[in-house]
Amino acid sequence: EPEVTQTPSHQVTQMGQEVILRCVPISNHLYFYWYRQILGQKVEFLVSFYNNEISEKSEIFDDQFSVERPDGSNFTLKIRSTKLEDSAMYFCASQFGAADTQYFGPGTRLTVL
Amino acid sequence: AQKITQTQPGMFVQEKEAVTLDCTYDTSDPSYGLFWYKQPSSGEMIFLIYQGSYDQQNATEGRYSLNFQKARKSANLVISASQLGDSAMYFCAMREGRGNKLVFGAGTILRVKS
């Protein structure tokens, strides 16, 4: 069964460093999302991406964040200069059509020291 | 105002019994979808069940069913014949319109006792 994959599973970085979180959505899916979950808290939406552009972003998704779909299969989230409060689990999700189910990847746990 | 409310921070259920996890939602969009996800201690988000606002019947997927009461804006998850492996965090989520983000509730931790 096709699934969303994410790499790495765990990333440790120093404050101020850039990180790139990678996702491979399910191959025929058209809608892509990033969410984050700070430990013990609810899942929060970051950004949605459709037709090679951002369709919606949250207040969290400020200028430090960017997304890219560089090659038609990968979907990346870049954090330019990480802060301590960026420590969280980051989930990528994808769905085929506008009314379909979102399937989540296993997440990348980001720890900023 | 909270879009998704899960009022039960934690629940216990005896193995083999049924359990209901509550979820209420708030939206003025006539087209919306309601989702339940399971998050085990390993952290991944596993899709369980979906209910569309226009669906006439309650959704079912194996041991999972969704008690959808549109007038009351509730979408409770019912797990029948609980198993030890059902112990996890359960999130209710809503999508308003089409192609849009999911908004999650705070979650309910379910513990199944043997």
Side-chain angles (χ1 to χ4, degrees), chain A residues 10-24:
Chain A
H10 192 185
Q11 172 110 32
V12 181
T13 189
Q14 295 292 324
M15 191 169 55
Q17 295 295 304
E18 174 183 287
V19 294
I20 297 176
L21 309 183
R22 291 183 166 80
C23 169
V24 179

Side-chain angles (χ1 to χ4, degrees), chain A:
Chain A
E1 185 176 325
E3 57 185 21
V4 179
T5 59
Q6 289 185 244
T7 54
S9 56
H10 192 185
Q11 172 110 32
V12 181
T13 189
Q14 295 292 324
M15 191 169 55
Q17 295 295 304
E18 174 183 287
V19 294
I20 297 176
L21 309 183
R22 291 183 166 80
C23 169
V24 179
I26 296 172
S27 63
N28 62 345
H29 283 193
L30 302 174
Y31 294 80
F32 313 107
Y33 306 83
W34 282 101
Y35 295 84
R36 79 172 187 191
Q37 184 183 31
I38 294 171
L39 188 63
Q41 297 186 23
K42 64 168 71 174
V43 179
E44 302 172 290
F45 167 75
L46 292 177
V47 65
S48 56
F49 194 87
Y50 170 70
N51 203 24
N52 285 319
E53 61 183 21
I54 290 174
S55 42
E56 187 179 358
K57 58 185 180 180
S58 72
E59 293 174 352
I60 303 166
F61 195 87
D62 60 22
D63 292 343
Q64 295 296 319
F65 291 87
S66 62
V67 289
E68 203 176 36
R69 189 156 161 79
D71 55 12
S73 62
N74 291 284
F75 180 50
T76 62
L77 174 69
K78 183 192 291 186
I79 310 174
R80 256 178 279 283
S81 177
T82 49
K83 308 185 193 78
L84 295 176
E85 54 265 36
D86 293 329
S87 294
M89 180 77 98
Y90 287 80
F91 291 104
C92 173
S94 71
Q95 69 187 58
F96 172 65
D100 291 324
T101 295
Q102 275 183 37
Y103 291 95
F104 282 70
T108 292
R109 183 167 296 284
L110 177 66
T111 302
V112 182
L113 302 176

